[in-house]
Amino acid sequence: TLRLLTPQDLASETILVTAGPTREELDPVRYLSNYSSGKMGYAIARAASRRGARVILVSGPTCLAPPAGIDVRRVSSALQMQQAVMECLPVVTVVIKAAAVADYRPEQRDKQKIKKGPADRMQLNLLKNPDILSELGRVKGDRLLIGFAAETENLEEHALRKLKNKNLDMILANDVSHPEAGFEVDTNLVRIFYRNGTAEQCLLMSKAELADVVLDRLLRLRYPSAA
Ligand code: CTP
Ligand code: CA
């Protein structure tokens, strides 16, 4: 099969990939979420597995078929994603956080469907969700941590701040207002910022191709002297 033709250059890594959005429920029929198809994360998980890594995919709700041969853990909310990630962490050597985690969740989830009231205005109270990647950054050890930043403005400034604050090794920033770098599409256009201060503008490519680029860069960070 394909695997026999592919260099198993990630055979010594256990890679945790998060993908997709999270859903923060308001009641049994409603939720808050982000646009995210999960395609980028699934592409990375698939490519890493093909290259010999053990892969754990913690996935929010997506329409995508679970890639074969991968340990997939389905979650819904940010709190569930945090729990799944922390549970896997002891065996993991690389974390790639492609998930679009909701920054806030409703303060309470009603057990019954919330009924429409007489007033023209309705207020939601939200609580901040834990920042999973920042939490990982604080207990990093020898792990490589890779984040994503979907921005609509000041891409470099925002990406660099996240790289530093979350203690990441690299961050892939994309301008989601660009039609070929946004959600749902099969292509991506990213700029990669590295811990050592360098940056790399990637060409427009498919998410499958970008997945292999990310994994190549990860290996270069792991083995700086080689090539
Ligand atoms: N992230 C996370 N947990 C959160 C929010 C974000 O792990 N609660 C991760 C995402 O998976 C992504 C990275 O942090 O890899 C950046 O996410 P982003 O939403 O761009 O950054 P935030 O720090 O949430 O800042 P803001 O939304 O204000 O731009
Ligand atoms: Ca956010």
Side-chain angles (χ1 to χ4, degrees), residues 18 78 97-103 129-134 146-151 162 166 171:
T18 72
K97 273 220 98 256
V101 184
D103 291 328
N129 273 329
D131 189 318
I132 304 168
L133 198 47
S134 295
I146 300 170
F148 279 76
E151 305 293 348
K162 289 170 193 179
K166 300 185 194 227
I171 189 161

Side-chain angles (χ1 to χ4, degrees), residues 138-160:
R138 289 190 289 270
V139 296
K140 187 168 185 282
D142 292 330
R143 292 181 194 89
L144 290 172
L145 290 187
I146 300 170
F148 279 76
E151 305 293 348
T152 56
E153 59 175 2
N154 305 330
L155 183 113
E156 171 157 4
E157 179 197 332
H158 288 134
L160 288 176

